[in-house]
């Protein structure tokens, strides 16, 4: 009788454990939108990806999107529109941007229309997805390339002293940790330049997946006639809800 009771209790405990694990695995994600248009996607308090437009002024001085100012308005589909300016260090100029964030069941579509507010010099202009080292160290990356086999790499566990670069080339789809709860997929309409870096070399505990529109040394002289359009879809392994302004 005692054995039967113990077996029953054990069975109930195991069922409860499996149900709890299933609920945790099905936990949705939040995409927290900053007033500037930066986006942090997280599972509870654990960030999976930080998404931003950013640039580099003369001497590779970094202009993060969090330094921008923007006006935010809701869109009929539940998304957001950000109309803002990103000041470029080392210049008197700025990049004017209109950013739209459109919700998808398991992610979002993000588009940027960019203009210059006058003459300025840029070393870099890019869309970046930053992946926390604490979540993604050692995870596999699959990069789909035009007319060739996918390239496979991995995010390094330890920082390399010689180089921050993990991978670079042409890609149309980048899959990180595919098939796991931490999966992140980045997709563009057509193959473009992709650079994956380990930013721990600059005391930043993230890996950066960078899609550059400009990456030049000593830089490119820009005018008010220069315009750019960036268009990216990002998806995850669970439903995503937009939160924020």
């Amino acid at each position: 009788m005692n054995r039967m009771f113990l077996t029953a209790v054990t069975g109930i405990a195991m069922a409860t454990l499996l149900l709890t694990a299933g609920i945790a695995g099905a936990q949705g994600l939040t995409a927290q939108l900053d007033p500037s248009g930066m986006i942090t996607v997280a599972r509870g308090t654990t960030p999976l990806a930080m998404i931003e437009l950013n640039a580099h002024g003369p001497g590779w001085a970094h202009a993060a999107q969090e330094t921008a100012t923007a006006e935010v308005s809701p869109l009929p589909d539940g998304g957001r529109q950000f109309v803002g300016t990103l000041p470029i260090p080392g210049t008197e100029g700025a990049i004017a941007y209109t950013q739209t964030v459109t919700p998808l069941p398991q992610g979002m579509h993000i588009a940027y229309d960019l203009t210059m507010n006058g003459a300025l010099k840029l070393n870099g202009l890019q869309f970046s997805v930053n992946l926390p080292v604490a979540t993604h160290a050692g995870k596999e990356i699959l990069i789909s390339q035009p007319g060739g086999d996918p390239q496979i790499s991995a995010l390094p566990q330890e920082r390399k002293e010689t180089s921050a670069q993990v991978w670079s080339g042409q890609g149309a789809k980048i899959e990180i940790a595919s098939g796991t709860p931490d999966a992140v997929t980045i997709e563009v309409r057509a193959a473009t330049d992709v650079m994956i870096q380990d930013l721990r070399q600059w005391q930043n505990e993230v890996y950066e997946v960078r899609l550059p529109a400009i990456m030049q040394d000593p830089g490119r002289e820009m005018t008010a006639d220069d315009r750019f359009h960036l268009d990216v879809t990002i998806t995850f392994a669970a439903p995503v809800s937009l939160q924020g302004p």
Side-chain angles (χ1 to χ4, degrees):
M1 189 70 175
N2 288 340
R3 286 184 181 178
M4 290 177 64
F5 178 73
L6 179 61
T7 301
V9 170
T10 303
I12 292 170
M14 287 297 295
T16 303
L17 181 62
L18 289 172
L19 178 60
T20 303
I23 292 171
Q27 182 182 3
L29 308 177
T30 58
Q32 184 67 43
L33 279 63
D34 183 83
S36 68
M38 280 185 61
I39 305 168
T40 301
V41 178
R43 181 190 302 106
T45 59
T46 303
L48 296 183
M50 290 80 77
I51 301 160
E52 67 163 337
L53 171 75
N54 62 107
H56 289 88
W60 295 99
H62 188 227
Q65 190 169 1
E66 65 183 354
T67 65
T69 55
E71 293 184 359
V72 188
S73 55
L75 297 175
D77 57 12
R80 310 285 193 279
Q81 176 176 271
F82 300 83
V83 179
T85 55
L86 175 63
I88 303 303
T91 77
E92 296 181 357
I95 298 172
Y97 64 93
T98 298
Q99 173 185 349
T100 59
V101 181
T102 303
L104 302 173
Q106 289 189 206
M108 67 206 76
H109 177 262
I110 309 169
Y112 303 88
D113 286 296
L114 312 174
T115 59
M116 310 297 135
N117 73 348
L120 66 132
K121 188 175 184 178
L122 291 177
N123 282 108
L125 174 60
Q126 57 268 334
F127 171 83
S128 297
V129 178
N130 294 318
L131 308 167
V133 170
T135 304
H136 292 286
K139 299 291 175 62
E140 184 179 88
I141 309 172
L142 184 69
I143 304 104
S144 298
Q145 295 185 301
D149 294 332
Q151 297 289 305
I152 299 174
S153 188
L155 297 171
Q157 295 273 7
E158 303 296 331
R159 177 173 72 88
K160 296 180 180 179
E161 298 294 334
T162 55
S163 174
Q165 185 168 298
V166 176
W167 189 90
S168 67
Q170 286 271 307
K173 185 177 182 181
I174 303 100
E175 300 173 77
I176 302 99
S178 181
T180 77
D182 297 329
V184 181
T185 300
I186 306 161
E187 194 164 5
V188 292
R189 292 181 184 273
T192 187
D193 291 334
V194 177
M195 175 181 283
I196 302 172
Q197 300 187 100
D198 184 344
L199 299 191
R200 285 178 289 183
Q201 183 168 321
W202 294 280
Q203 291 72 55
N204 194 351
E205 291 291 313
V206 299
Y207 309 103
E208 179 193 20
V209 180
R210 178 186 296 188
L211 307 181
I214 297 173
M215 190 166 59
Q216 293 186 2
D217 199 3
R220 184 191 295 186
E221 298 291 344
M222 312 298 295
T223 72
D225 294 328
D226 290 309
R227 285 169 166 75
F228 295 86
H229 177 80
L230 307 176
D231 192 318
V232 184
T233 297
I234 303 180
T235 54
F236 299 86
V240 178
S241 61
L242 299 187
Q243 297 182 4

